[in-house]
Amino acid sequence: MPRKTSQKTAADLLPKQLTLPALKDAAADCKACDLWKLGTQTVFGEGARRAGVMFVGEQPGNEEDLTGKPFVGPAGKLFDKALEEAGIDRAQTYVTNVVKHFKWEPRGKRRIHKKPNAQEIAACRPWLEAEIALVKPKVVVALGATAAQALHRAKFRVTKQRGEFIESTLAPYVMATVHPSSILRAPDEETRRLEYRRFVDDLKKLARVVKK
Ligand code: SF4
């Protein structure tokens, strides 16, 4: 269950009746850290009410911020393609982020992703913990280093431990792989192709564990 800490977090905003729609409504007004000033809107998680797998990314990107939906931008489209290849129906999963507002800095006319800091991640954590408590996934999958470190609360290295199923207090298993946006940022076409294959392989392994 969500815990209170001495720093300001979203814990005080959790609704008395914990349901996903009530959480989403409450999170829409969240000002527990300063990121609400940057983002257009809170981008809450979406998906099956009870899902065998919950995917957790770092934060919404530009398109997610504008649409209010998680994983709908270029990385989200690649994610959908990889899920399909791995035989995972996205509608049967739940998709969310460690931080629910888009953190960015201007570069010309563009808004460039900026990594959330530890305070922002801690402030937003009650929303994620409540989502996990309600959805009760068998596996929580961290997409990328920020999500992996936030979920493991420790120095977790995706480069070394990706694809491992680790027992956790959050869910029976926590697993980590890369964020699909890192595949899009690969320096050349061949690296992109190889990284995509490795990502699909991680998802296939996940599909086998979830079906057990
Ligand atoms: S990032 Fe999270 S804690 Fe910060 S304002 Fe948004 S919803 Fe609240």
Side-chain angles (χ1 to χ4, degrees):
M1 287 301 292
R3 279 177 297 204
K4 285 190 179 182
T5 65
S6 54
Q7 95 168 63
K8 192 177 176 196
T9 77
D12 293 337
L13 304 172
L14 294 178
K16 286 197 177 66
Q17 288 277 358
L18 274 190
T19 64
L20 289 173
L23 274 182
K24 188 175 179 178
D25 278 357
D29 297 324
C30 183
K31 294 179 178 164
C33 77
D34 283 344
L35 294 186
W36 68 273
K37 296 176 188 168
L38 273 181
T40 305
Q41 57 194 314
T42 308
V43 181
F44 207 72
E46 270 188 12
R49 164 73 183 81
R50 284 288 162 90
V53 54
M54 178 184 285
F55 291 100
V56 183
E58 179 187 284
Q59 62 164 328
N62 188 59
E63 286 191 41
E64 287 81 7
D65 172 71
L66 297 174
T67 59
K69 291 181 166 295
F71 284 83
V72 292
K77 291 188 174 69
L78 189 76
F79 178 59
D80 286 348
K81 184 170 169 252
L83 281 178
E84 200 180 324
E85 267 194 58
I88 298 174
D89 180 359
R90 177 164 167 172
Q92 302 299 316
T93 72
Y94 189 90
V95 181
T96 191
N97 285 294
V98 165
V99 163
K100 313 285 195 236
H101 271 99
F102 180 34
K103 184 175 182 181
W104 57 277
E105 58 189 0
R107 195 171 302 163
K109 288 185 179 166
R110 295 176 62 206
R111 303 190 301 170
I112 302 297
H113 159 274
K114 197 171 173 196
K115 191 174 161 179
N117 63 35
Q119 286 73 31
E120 290 152 356
I121 290 170
C124 215
R125 190 176 173 93
W127 297 124
L128 177 61
E129 290 186 346
E131 287 174 297
I132 295 172
L134 281 170
V135 175
K136 295 185 176 25
K138 183 174 180 184
V139 188
V140 177
V141 181
L143 297 172
T146 303
Q149 284 159 12
L151 287 168
H152 289 285
R153 288 182 184 273
K155 293 206 181 306
F156 184 92
R157 292 280 164 267
V158 175
T159 42
K160 287 192 179 150
Q161 290 163 279
R162 73 182 282 179
E164 289 178 18
F165 291 84
I166 298 167
E167 289 182 17
S168 165
T169 52
L170 294 170
Y173 299 106
V174 171
M175 179 258 219
T177 181
V178 295
H179 193 285
S181 64
S182 71
I183 301 170
L184 295 174
R185 289 196 306 270
D188 54 72
E189 190 55 45
E190 179 61 5
T191 313
R192 206 157 23 252
R193 191 185 66 75
L194 288 173
E195 282 303 315
Y196 177 74
R197 291 299 351 142
R198 283 187 75 197
F199 184 56
V200 171
D201 287 346
D202 286 344
L203 295 179
K204 284 183 177 168
K205 209 191 299 182
L206 170 68
R208 287 195 291 274
V209 171
V210 173
K211 275 178 197 151
K212 264 188 201 164

